[in-house]
Amino acid sequence: MIRSKTIVAALVASVSLAACGSGGSGGAGASRDQIRAVGSSTVFPFSKAVAEALTKTDPTIKSAIIESTGTGAGMKLFCAGVGVAHPDVVNASRQIKKSEFEDCVKNGVKDVVEIQVGLDGIALAEASSGPSMKLTLVDVYKALAANPFGKPNTAKNWNDVNPALPNLPILVYGPPATSGTRDALAELILTKGCDTDAATKALKESDKDKHAAICTDVRTDGAYVESGENDNLIVQKIVANPKAIGIFGYSFLEENPDKLKGIPMDGVQPTYETISDFTYPGARPLYIYVKAAHLNAIKGLKEFAAEYAKAWGPDGYLKKQGMVISPEDVRKANAEIVASMKPMDGSALK
């Protein structure tokens, strides 16, 4: 992340921080009077809305500190330990990785509650005055990969990738490597485009690391520009340059219909409906992870999770914020998790 943004709706009151420095004795039991959440820039506005609604409902609960650090950086902070020096919640635009879960356990964060809060899509978009691009998974892969199908990327213009595309320079503003949106871009779009080549796909079995590098390493010659964890900045950049493309969470596309238009992927437009039914290739679930050891120590933490469950339905305010609502069975299952705060089983993680 280039720069994290922090929303603090209330001043931090004086609290005892004697146990902040470690996850050792007293770390989980020390008091703090605010929830602290870090992580995904995509989930950021939803957690912010939930925190604000919770404070209005119960003024005795102080406004949470919500930081947009990116999913990867947020996981590092969340898993660093137990105690008031460490976040209570991590917002995530992808599921926690096995390696991250293992880091949590190693650092004493042994009980993590996984809650799926909704759906989102990785949207490719252009300015309303843009050239009306129509891309495929293969087009995006060949345009952005450092070494598409194992060969150095020499494509300068979109028609170098596909003769049917405009003769315009490839310029894509997107998330940095610390972002969950970047991880999802790699998994849902780049790898799928990469695996259309049988020989490259076969590498997954014979040389997993080489396959990952060929399929997911992004070029660094200026065609792809990392734009930090501020998705609104990407919106501003592509509005200022109609020849450029932006990559961000669908909610930012939905919030700017007068400025942006979605780019179809394999003939499917990024819309609420196509993300809901997963026909859009970039559809993905969104999560929050809660540190169970903090539930009794941090005032309002249980209520924060419960407020999410109240807000994520088809009539809830998160839909108005741009969240795509999860299917009813998923909402029901996760509402039960919120009620019990049962820690996840990390054995099936990848």
Side-chain angles (χ1 to χ4, degrees):
M1 157 188 152
I2 298 172
R3 181 181 181 184
S4 71
K5 57 185 176 184
T6 305
I7 299 296
V8 185
L11 294 173
V12 181
S14 297
V15 294
S16 172
L17 299 179
C20 267
S22 71
S25 176
S31 63
R32 172 152 45 84
D33 62 355
Q34 279 176 298
I35 300 162
R36 181 185 173 208
V38 296
S40 166
S41 61
T42 300
V43 184
F44 171 84
F46 305 133
S47 283
K48 179 175 176 285
V50 168
E52 291 172 348
L54 178 60
T55 301
K56 289 179 181 178
T57 302
D58 185 350
T60 68
I61 297 175
K62 288 199 170 186
S63 295
I65 300 171
I66 315 289
E67 300 174 58
S68 177
T69 64
T71 299
M75 287 293 180
K76 288 182 180 179
L77 292 167
F78 179 80
C79 290
V82 172
V84 294
H86 307 290
D88 314 306
V89 176
V90 60
N91 302 316
S93 55
R94 57 159 172 80
Q95 189 173 45
I96 188 173
K97 297 177 182 178
K98 180 179 180 181
S99 59
E100 292 166 337
F101 188 80
E102 289 171 347
D103 283 343
C104 269
V105 173
K106 181 179 68 176
N107 294 324
V109 186
K110 297 179 180 179
D111 293 323
V112 176
V113 183
E114 178 184 75
I115 304 167
Q116 183 180 326
V117 296
L119 302 173
D120 186 47
I122 305 163
L124 274 71
E126 60 186 345
S128 297
S129 58
S132 297
M133 298 280 279
K134 295 178 181 179
L135 300 173
T136 67
L137 294 170
V138 176
D139 291 338
V140 178
Y141 170 68
K142 289 170 70 175
L144 300 186
N147 297 285
F149 306 124
K151 298 178 181 179
N153 200 333
T154 59
K156 301 295 183 184
N157 297 329
W158 283 104
N159 63 342
D160 295 330
V161 168
N162 180 343
L165 294 175
N167 183 20
L168 294 173
I170 298 169
L171 178 59
V172 178
Y173 293 102
T178 55
S179 170
T181 300
R182 175 74 164 266
D183 291 333
L185 171 68
E187 178 185 352
L188 300 176
I189 296 177
L190 298 182
T191 298
K192 288 181 179 178
C194 177
D195 283 348
T196 58
D197 178 71
T200 308
K201 184 177 181 179
L203 277 176
K204 190 181 296 185
E205 302 300 326
S206 61
D207 193 334
K208 186 177 180 180
D209 290 342
K210 186 176 181 180
H211 174 268
I214 289 175
C215 290
T216 65
D217 285 357
V218 174
R219 62 196 300 183
T220 57
D221 59 356
Y224 181 89
V225 181
E226 293 188 353
S227 301
E229 295 293 350
N230 187 344
D231 291 345
N232 282 312
L233 180 60
I234 299 177
V235 172
Q236 293 169 16
K237 286 183 176 180
I238 63 175
V239 168
N241 182 359
K243 296 179 181 180
I245 286 175
I247 300 176
F248 36 61
Y250 168 74
S251 62
F252 290 88
L253 173 60
E254 188 176 57
E255 288 173 3
N256 294 278
D258 56 328
K259 300 176 182 178
L260 306 176
K261 56 186 177 185
I263 294 174
M265 188 82 63
D266 282 358
V268 182
Q269 280 278 359
T271 66
Y272 187 97
E273 290 74 23
T274 60
I275 292 169
S276 294
D277 63 16
F278 281 82
T279 55
Y280 179 68
R284 58 178 174 169
L286 302 177
Y287 301 89
I288 63 170
Y289 291 89
V290 179
K291 198 169 289 179
H294 287 198
L295 287 169
N296 293 323
I298 305 300
K299 181 176 173 61
L301 186 54
K302 293 178 183 176
E303 291 83 356
F304 178 77
E307 181 64 26
Y308 244 117
K310 294 177 186 176
W312 68 35
D315 298 320
Y317 56 81
L318 290 180
K319 183 177 180 180
K320 297 176 183 178
Q321 294 280 335
M323 177 179 282
V324 179
I325 304 305
S326 297
E328 184 177 0
D329 59 334
V330 174
R331 298 199 310 272
K332 181 179 178 181
N334 283 274
E336 291 173 357
I337 293 173
V338 168
S340 67
M341 279 296 170
K342 180 181 179 181
M344 67 182 294
D345 176 3
S347 61
L349 293 172
K350 300 177 181 178

